[in-house]
Amino acid sequence: MALTRDLKETVAARIQRDAKFREVLFSEAINAYLAGDTATGKAILRDLVNATIGFEGLAAEIRKPSKSLHRMLAPRGNPNTENFFDIVSTLQKKTRVKLRVMARTV
C-alpha cells in the first residue's frame, strides 16, 4: 500500500486550494515560454488546465476539440499563437490570475 499520493494529484490539489501557488505556477509557465523552454511551459499549463477547468471545459470555452488541445500542450505539441493566447486568456479567467509582462535590463 502506497503511503504518498501521486505527484500530479498533489500538485492538482494544491493548485485548487492555494491561490498564491496558482499565481506562481502560471507565471512560471509563461516565463518558461519566454525563456524558450516550451516543454516546461506546456507541462505547467497542462497541470493548470487539468486542475482548474479541465480539457473538456477549455475546449468548450475556446471552441476547439479537446483532443486538439491535448495535442497542443503535449510535449511535442505546437500551438499556434492564437490558440496559445486563447488558452492563456481562458486560464487567466478561470484561475483569477492576471498576468503581465515586465521588461528589465540585465
Side-chain angles (χ1 to χ4, degrees):
M1 178 168 32
L3 296 177
T4 60
R5 292 186 344 186
D6 179 65
L7 179 62
K8 286 189 181 278
E9 291 176 17
T10 302
V11 170
R14 184 148 182 217
I15 289 169
Q16 292 169 357
R17 77 171 185 274
D18 187 343
K20 185 65 176 172
F21 184 69
R22 270 192 311 274
E23 180 182 322
V24 170
L25 208 55
F26 204 170
S27 294
E28 284 301 312
I30 301 307
N31 284 328
Y33 262 99
L34 293 173
D37 187 0
T38 58
T40 298
K42 287 185 288 190
I44 296 171
L45 288 178
R46 274 194 314 274
D47 288 342
L48 284 166
V49 169
N50 281 321
T52 56
I53 192 169
F55 276 92
E56 292 298 325
L58 181 61
E61 191 75 26
I62 66 174
R63 295 182 175 94
K64 299 279 183 206
S66 64
K67 286 186 179 185
S68 293
L69 295 171
H70 276 283
R71 281 192 297 271
M72 286 178 209
L73 295 180
R76 296 185 64 184
N78 189 20
N80 67 30
T81 304
E82 182 179 357
N83 290 333
F84 175 77
F85 283 110
D86 283 346
I87 292 167
V88 169
S89 176
T90 301
L91 281 173
Q92 284 186 105
K93 291 175 195 166
K94 181 64 180 174
T95 62
R96 296 182 181 154
V97 173
K98 177 76 171 162
L99 299 171
R100 59 181 177 190
V101 176
M102 294 175 28
R104 291 188 183 156
T105 304
V106 290

